[in-house]
Every structure is written in C-alpha cells, then in structure tokens.
Amino acid sequence: MMKKISFFLLLFPTVLFAQINTDRVMAIARNALYFEDYVLSIQYFNQVINAKPYLYEPYFYRGLAKIQLDDFQGAENDCDEAIQRNPFVVGAYQIRGLARIRQNKYDEAIDDYKIALKYAPENITLWHNLTLCHLQKKDYEGAEDDLGKLLAIAPRYTRGYLMRGEVALRQQDTIRALKDFDKAIELDRYDADTWASRAMVRLQQGQYAEAETDLDRATHLNNKNAAHYINRALARFHQNNLRGAMTDYDIALEVEPNNFIGHYNRGLLRAQVGDDNRAIEDFDFVLKIEPDNMMATFNRGLLKAQTGDYRGAVSDYTTVINEYPNFLAGYYHRADARRKMGDRRGADADELTVMNIQLDKRAGVSTNTSSTNKDLADNTDDEETDEDGKTRKKSDKNMNNYRKIVIADSSEAEQRYTSDYRGRVQDRNVNVKLEPMYVLSYYEKLSDVKRIVHYHKYIDDLNRSRALPERLRITNAESPLTEEQVQKHFAMIDTHSGAIVTDERNAVKRFARALDFYLVQDFSSSVDDLTQVILLDDTFYPAYFMRALVRCKQLEYQRAEELQNTTATIGGATKTEVNAMDYDIVKSDLNKVINLAPDFVYAYYNRGNLLTMLKDYRAAIVDYDKAIQLNPDFAEAYFNRGLTHIYLGNNKQGITDLSKAGELGIVSAYNIIKRFTEQ
C-alpha cells in the first residue's frame, strides 16, 4: 500500500511538490537519460524542477536530454538556468556550446568553451569543439592555436591531426596537410577517416592511383560512408575505369539512396557506356531532388533523343532554352530532335537562331533579351573545374559543362570535420562492443534486416493466458517509450497497485507492476517487486530473469557514474562502489533460470554476456556454445562468441563466428571482421 501512495506522489507532483523524494526521482531520471529514454527522463526532471527549482542539476540534465531530441533552443535555455544556479559546472557550458553550435551561434559557443576551459584546461572534448567553431568561422589562425594546445595535452589524439590537416588544406598547404594525415594513419590505421583524409589530398594532387589505394582502405574499414565510394569513383574515373566508378556509385547509392552526386555522375557514366534507359532513371531522380537543375534536364533530353523519345527531348531542351536563351547546344539539339519528328519549320527556326547568335558574338553584339535572362554559356570560371576539364563543382552553372562529372563544392567538403562536434557527457565507448542482453518487454525496435520473433513456450503460454496487459516479447532491441506510453505505464502502475492490494498473493500481478516500473526506469522498485514475486512463487523463472537483467543495468549505470566521477567533469554526483559480489547476485539469478528452464536459451546468452563483462572469457564461451547448441541460428550468440574469441587472441575462430553473425543479419559484424583482418 505504501508503494502505491509513494508513486501517487510521483504521478501527481502538483499536489505536494516538496514531499516527493527528489533524490530518488533525480536518480531515476538520470538512469533514464543514460539508457537513452529521453522523453521519460525529461518528465522526471520536470518533477524535480517543480519541487526544488533552485537546483542546477535537473536543468542541466534536462538540457542534455533535449539536445538528444534536437531541441537546441530548449537545451540552451536549460543550460542558462543551470549556469545561473551554479556557474562552475563545466558540463553546462559544454552542452550549451553544443546547443549554440547547432543554431549557428559560433561566437557564443566559443565563449562557452573558453569559460569551460578555465575550469577544465585538459578537457579534450572542449578543445575539439572550440577548434571546429574556429574552422566554421574560417579563423584558421585561431583553429591552429587551439590544435597546438590540444595536441600538447593529447599528442596521440588522432582527430587533432586530422583537423590540423584540414586547416592546412583550407590554406592550400597540401604538403603540411599530408604530413598531418600521415601522422594520423601512423597513430590509428584502423580509423577509416585517416585514410579518406589523405586520399582527398592525393585527389587534389592528381595522384589518382594512390588516392584509390587509400580509399580502398577507407571502404574496407567503414562500408557505411557513401562519401568514400563517391571519392573512389572519382579516382577511378580519372584513370578511365568507368565500370569501376559506376560500381562505386552503385554502392554509394545503396548506402545513401538520395545522394545527388551519386545519381548525377552515374547517369553521365551510364550514358557514356550506352546504358541510356537507366541513365534517364538517374536524371529523373536528380530532377526530383532539384527540379530546376538545368544540366540534369539537358542531359535527360539528350538521352531521350537517343532512345527515340523526341517529343520528351524537345520538352527538356525547351525548358533549358527558356532559362538560358543563348545556349547554342540547346538550339542545335532541339533542331535535330524536331527534324527527326517531322517538325521542319521548328528545326529551321532553331538553326536560324544558332546562326544569328554566332553572328552576333562575332560582331560583339549582346544577345540577352532581358536583364533577368541568364547567359551562362559564356560564363566560364576556371576555378570551377579541374585542370584536365573532366569535372566541375556542384555549384557551377555554366551550361557548357553539362557533360562533366560533378564534385562537391568546397563548402560541402569542409563539413567532414565541422559536423564532428562532441557533446554527450555520458558518451560511451563506440568501438567494438557486445550485442545487448535479452529482456522481457512489451516493446521492441523494428529492424529492416532482422525480422526474427523470439519464442519460448512458457512465455507464449503466459501471453495466451492474458494475465499481462500486453503481449510479452523476448528482445534485445528495446524501444524507448513515447510520451503517451510513459503516461500509460504510470497509470498502469497505479492500476496494478490497486489490484495487488486486493490480491496480495498473486505473483503475476506483481510481476506486471515490476515490468511497468522497469519500463519507466524505476529499477529499484522493479527489483523490489520481482523479489516479492519470487517469494510468492519461486518457480516463476521470468522473475529471476528480469531481476538479473534489471540489476545488471543498475550496475552498468553505477559503473558509468564512477567513471564520470573519476573524470570530474561535472560535480554533484555521489560515488557508488561496484564490486564482484554485486555481479555474483546477478549470476545467481541466471543460474536459477537455467535450473528452472534449461531450454531457455536467453539465460545462457545473458550469463555469457555477464561473464564477458567480468573478463571470464572461457566460461562465457561455454555459455555461448550452449546457446548456439539450443538455437543454431542465434545471431547475437555467434557475434558475442566471436568477439570473446578475439578478446582471447583467437582471431581466426572469432572471425568465423562474426561471419556467421553477419550472415544471420548483424551487419556490423562485417566492419569488425575488416578491422581484424589484415589486407
């Protein structure tokens, strides 16, 4: 009954603000934030703010949640409030700086990072973002000064060398840029960006074979970056490898289907090899993105004429001529198309126009009919094309360059680094990591690649009994709750609390409330309920399974808090010790699940994950072996067993397992295989 009353106060904070346990609500809110349940975390932070508006922490963390939801103005406002209450919190300046960057307020962001660096002069993230702000403002001297200090603090920081190389490139100093990119490769040869950056210099220098080799490495390490394939296509094009270039454009468009340059250039190359119909498809796509792109319109007209669609060709030519009335090639090709469709009078008129324009040009007479008409046929800008005249910048509107391959404008190319701002205080390791543990939940993220419904007879029978309000799913792809779902589960906790009062011995009803508490990230209450379920029915294995999972998440969060306290970037957190005994309790629950349900494959898998976290790799492999024995198509078990073998130094066995995981739908396995396979 007490639990019902205490949660009533959480649900209705307008009743008695001061009486809620703000420390507990704050802990739940930060827990939700850590596990990326941003909408839910904001609601909890709101409760703390309403109860104790003088605290800085709920404003700061609410701002952090808002920035993850792209509410940059809201994040900035919350950081303002946090700084007003405590002007010495480094993280508040860091997050406000990031929010300001996303609103193009670079000067204000620079001010924030400079203040933060007074309190944390060795914070690499602050120096990184400050440098990128100066790059955005084209303050190269300021950026170089930042990088000098950054690399003095962290001489092995690869991104620092990449950024310094970018600064040198923008100052046309390719020799210095190449030196920095070489250094970045020396420090981290497994970072695709290091190879891609050096490739860009070599493309500028005309060293196309060398650029292709570097881009081979970049695509080998990261096959999800369309720009790598676009750039390698350019290197191959300059070496007259048209088929290879088209293959790269094909792959780039699989990765990024709406890539303008990919479609435009593939259309040109398809036209060159006579694949006219598919070239038309590419230009159709380009014109959906940019309906007023006259070069794409003209190229499509040429292709329509090639395929016998003279009426369609004339329509495209006319569109271009209306925009550029002195474009000779437009009249010439329209005349040809008109003649082929039997319109001799129209063809003669176009040929006469061509002759008059040519005569006027020789006589030095302007042929513009209106001040609003564009005449870019004569607007040749040497800076828009490369030395051999095979390419043009995307922004080049000179119609005479309609056959040239498109390359990104300088402003677009510069985004390679300026989009790499860093700001999440709770950033976790984004390198190689295990597939997550399995959980019992009502919600699951949908995957375009994997569409497996996980099954166990006991869970299916539980669902058929309709003892729970919704269908229980076995998943390791949890979905954050929407605002409506959050309110729904708050209400369900109250409903279940009432049901428990009238039927205290019903284990399933208490289990249902435990799931609600888990979904709203109140892990302590969830564990309490799960413990009560086990006391009521010690054979109900889902309670042991979920209690192990919830406790493991609590420990993960506590370890993250310890790490954050160690780095001391943000004050106000209470240090929590995590020791091996805490994990033994989790392991004990999983052991009990296996004793009660030896065919429940997910218990072996979760225990394998736990053992891997504890670096007991050989025992973990035994559990993954058992999981795979029970389910030979268990992709995540193959993936995690593969990583565990690699941790033990057994790369060959690890790569075999990762290959199987990739075959079963975990596409990230292929990137890891590339990382651990030498060319």
Side-chain angles (χ1 to χ4, degrees):
M1 185 67 179
M2 283 299 295
K3 185 168 289 185
K4 178 181 178 182
I5 294 171
S6 65
F7 204 82
F8 179 86
L9 295 177
L10 288 181
L11 291 178
F12 301 99
T14 56
V15 179
L16 291 169
F17 291 143
Q19 294 187 28
I20 73 167
N21 186 337
T22 51
D23 289 340
R24 175 171 166 72
V25 176
M26 188 70 185
I28 297 171
R30 291 184 63 180
N31 194 76
L33 177 64
Y34 177 80
F35 288 106
E36 301 180 0
D37 215 333
Y38 304 121
V39 172
L40 176 62
S41 72
I42 287 172
Q43 296 201 17
Y44 282 124
F45 290 130
N46 290 343
Q47 293 180 25
V48 180
I49 289 169
N50 287 333
K52 294 184 178 179
Y54 51 84
L55 296 176
Y56 83 86
E57 291 102 327
Y59 286 103
F60 166 68
Y61 287 108
R62 190 174 71 178
L64 183 55
K66 286 179 178 179
I67 210 166
Q68 302 302 328
L69 297 170
D70 292 342
D71 180 6
F72 305 124
Q73 181 62 59
E76 182 181 359
N77 293 340
D78 276 344
C79 288
D80 288 344
E81 297 292 338
I83 290 167
Q84 284 180 20
R85 288 157 178 77
N86 186 345
F88 304 106
V89 181
V90 172
Y93 295 101
Q94 181 177 338
I95 298 305
R96 188 172 70 177
L98 185 61
R100 286 173 165 175
I101 285 168
R102 299 304 186 193
Q103 299 171 78
N104 299 321
K105 299 177 179 179
Y106 299 111
D107 288 326
E108 294 94 328
I110 287 171
D111 290 340
D112 274 336
Y113 290 125
K114 285 182 176 178
I115 295 171
L117 284 165
K118 289 180 182 178
Y119 304 125
E122 295 188 356
N123 187 307
I124 293 173
T125 297
L126 296 174
W127 285 111
H128 180 105
N129 286 4
L130 180 61
T131 300
L132 293 179
C133 286
H134 282 132
L135 270 173
Q136 279 283 18
K137 288 173 59 62
K138 303 189 186 301
D139 178 6
Y140 303 133
E141 184 178 341
E144 286 200 34
D145 183 60
D146 296 336
L147 289 165
K149 294 171 182 174
L150 170 56
L151 292 172
I153 295 166
R156 298 190 63 79
Y157 184 56
T158 306
R159 291 282 156 185
Y161 293 99
L162 291 179
M163 287 190 290
R164 195 168 70 178
E166 177 70 11
V167 172
L169 268 185
R170 296 192 191 185
Q171 296 174 306
Q172 309 301 316
D173 189 345
T174 54
I175 294 175
R176 191 156 56 92
L178 205 54
K179 182 179 177 182
D180 276 327
F181 295 149
D182 285 341
K183 180 66 175 178
I185 290 171
E186 178 188 325
L187 290 173
D188 190 355
R189 60 200 304 268
Y190 294 111
D191 185 343
D193 288 342
T194 61
W195 299 97
S197 296
R198 190 171 72 178
M200 293 303 295
V201 180
R202 289 178 162 172
L203 281 172
Q204 290 184 25
Q205 294 176 332
Q207 299 177 10
Y208 301 119
E210 293 84 351
E212 182 179 357
T213 299
D214 279 348
L215 288 162
D216 286 344
R217 294 303 300 267
T219 56
H220 179 77
L221 293 166
N222 182 1
N223 61 2
K224 294 301 178 185
N225 190 327
H228 297 339
Y229 295 102
I230 295 289
N231 290 332
R232 189 171 68 179
L234 181 62
R236 288 174 167 178
F237 170 76
H238 279 290
Q239 298 173 82
N240 296 317
N241 180 4
L242 301 188
R243 294 288 181 186
M246 278 196 290
T247 298
D248 272 339
Y249 288 130
D250 287 342
I251 300 172
L253 291 169
E254 286 178 12
V255 175
E256 188 181 326
N258 293 332
N259 189 287
F260 172 92
I261 290 177
H263 280 288
Y264 188 96
N265 289 350
R266 188 175 68 176
L268 287 179
L269 295 185
R270 282 175 166 175
Q272 286 191 40
V273 299
D275 191 356
D276 296 335
N277 288 316
R278 292 207 298 165
I280 289 172
E281 290 175 5
D282 274 326
F283 287 116
D284 283 341
F285 191 92
V286 168
L287 289 167
K288 284 182 183 177
I289 300 172
E290 293 187 7
D292 59 348
N293 189 304
M294 292 299 105
M295 293 200 199
T297 303
F298 188 68
N299 277 304
R300 187 176 67 178
L302 294 174
L303 289 160
K304 285 179 176 178
Q306 283 285 106
T307 58
D309 180 10
Y310 301 119
R311 192 172 299 280
V314 167
S315 175
D316 281 343
Y317 297 148
T318 301
T319 299
V320 175
I321 289 168
N322 289 340
E323 188 75 8
Y324 301 122
N326 300 316
F327 180 44
L328 293 179
Y331 292 103
Y332 174 80
H333 286 285
R334 189 171 69 176
D336 183 61
R338 282 176 164 174
R339 194 171 301 282
K340 287 177 177 175
M341 59 189 291
D343 181 7
R344 293 185 178 180
R345 180 178 296 179
D348 290 342
D350 280 339
E351 288 171 352
L352 180 61
T353 301
V354 170
M355 184 176 66
N356 288 335
I357 291 174
Q358 289 175 331
L359 290 173
D360 286 342
K361 283 184 178 179
R362 290 174 188 171
V365 177
S366 173
T367 54
N368 280 343
T369 59
S370 168
S371 60
T372 60
N373 281 335
K374 302 172 186 175
D375 184 9
L376 297 185
D378 296 323
N379 181 19
T380 304
D381 185 347
D382 292 336
E383 293 181 0
E384 296 293 341
T385 58
D386 63 355
E387 291 181 359
D388 61 8
K390 290 184 176 181
T391 63
R392 67 174 179 86
K393 296 288 181 67
K394 185 182 173 185
S395 60
D396 176 14
K397 303 300 182 185
N398 185 340
M399 283 300 300
N400 287 330
N401 293 330
Y402 65 90
R403 291 188 183 276
K404 293 181 178 178
I405 290 289
V406 176
I407 60 175
D409 292 322
S410 299
S411 59
E412 291 181 273
E414 288 170 1
Q415 296 303 312
R416 286 181 299 141
Y417 298 106
T418 52
S419 62
D420 189 28
Y421 293 101
R422 299 172 179 201
R424 292 183 56 189
V425 176
Q426 83 280 25
D427 268 346
R428 283 166 277 172
N429 187 354
V430 295
N431 295 325
V432 178
K433 60 183 179 181
L434 298 174
E435 284 290 296
M437 289 187 176
Y438 272 81
V439 61
L440 302 176
S441 177
Y442 302 132
Y443 306 107
E444 182 177 24
K445 286 181 183 175
L446 296 177
S447 169
D448 292 332
V449 179
K450 292 173 58 189
R451 295 185 179 274
I452 297 172
V453 176
H454 298 285
Y455 172 84
H456 188 261
K457 185 178 185 305
Y458 188 92
I459 302 300
D460 188 52
D461 290 343
L462 186 61
N463 285 329
R464 289 175 184 275
S465 74
R466 300 188 181 277
L468 296 173
E470 296 187 43
R471 179 176 174 272
L472 203 58
R473 302 170 187 268
I474 307 170
T475 180
N476 75 333
E478 294 183 82
S479 176
L481 302 189
T482 65
E483 188 169 352
E484 293 75 18
Q485 289 167 341
V486 168
Q487 297 303 328
K488 171 184 173 183
H489 286 285
F490 280 159
M492 286 174 69
I493 287 170
D494 199 36
T495 301
H496 288 138
S497 296
I500 289 168
V501 169
T502 58
D503 189 2
E504 293 182 353
R505 306 296 300 172
N506 191 313
V508 176
K509 288 180 180 177
R510 197 171 286 271
F511 180 72
R513 189 174 70 173
L515 289 178
D516 291 324
F517 277 126
Y518 169 74
L519 288 167
V520 298
Q521 302 284 336
D522 187 350
F523 290 169
S524 294
S525 296
S526 181
V527 168
D528 289 345
D529 266 350
L530 291 166
T531 301
Q532 290 299 315
V533 172
I534 290 166
L535 291 173
L536 292 169
D537 182 357
D538 61 2
T539 67
F540 188 67
Y541 81 81
Y544 292 100
F545 184 74
M546 282 302 296
R547 189 170 70 173
L549 184 281
V550 177
R551 281 175 167 165
C552 203
K553 285 202 168 189
Q554 285 180 307
L555 294 173
E556 180 186 342
Y557 175 66
Q558 289 173 22
R559 289 180 69 174
E561 286 288 282
E562 285 184 19
L563 179 61
Q564 183 171 303
N565 293 340
T566 302
T567 57
T569 56
I570 299 173
T574 303
K575 186 168 183 178
T576 313
E577 293 292 339
V578 177
N579 55 53
M581 288 185 62
D582 295 314
Y583 287 100
D584 285 341
I585 295 171
V586 176
K587 184 179 176 184
S588 175
D589 275 346
L590 289 170
N591 291 344
K592 187 68 175 178
V593 176
I594 289 168
N595 288 336
L596 291 170
D599 63 337
F600 192 64
V601 63
Y602 310 100
Y604 296 99
Y605 170 86
N606 280 10
R607 191 171 67 179
N609 275 25
L610 178 68
L611 292 166
T612 302
M613 289 163 53
L614 297 172
K615 298 187 177 354
D616 190 354
Y617 299 132
R618 297 189 187 283
I621 286 174
V622 172
D623 273 337
Y624 293 136
D625 287 345
K626 182 63 176 179
I628 290 167
Q629 178 188 336
L630 290 171
N631 179 5
D633 293 328
F634 199 164
E636 290 84 359
Y638 283 106
F639 184 91
N640 289 358
R641 188 175 71 176
L643 287 185
T644 307
H645 275 304
I646 287 173
Y647 296 151
L648 286 169
N650 305 325
N651 282 21
K652 185 174 180 180
Q653 290 172 278
I655 288 169
T656 299
D657 275 343
L658 289 169
S659 176
K660 182 66 175 178
E663 174 188 317
L664 292 169
I666 302 180
V667 294
S668 60
Y670 294 114
N671 286 337
I672 298 171
I673 290 170
K674 291 176 181 179
R675 182 166 185 150
F676 288 97
T677 305
E678 291 295 330
Q679 284 187 314

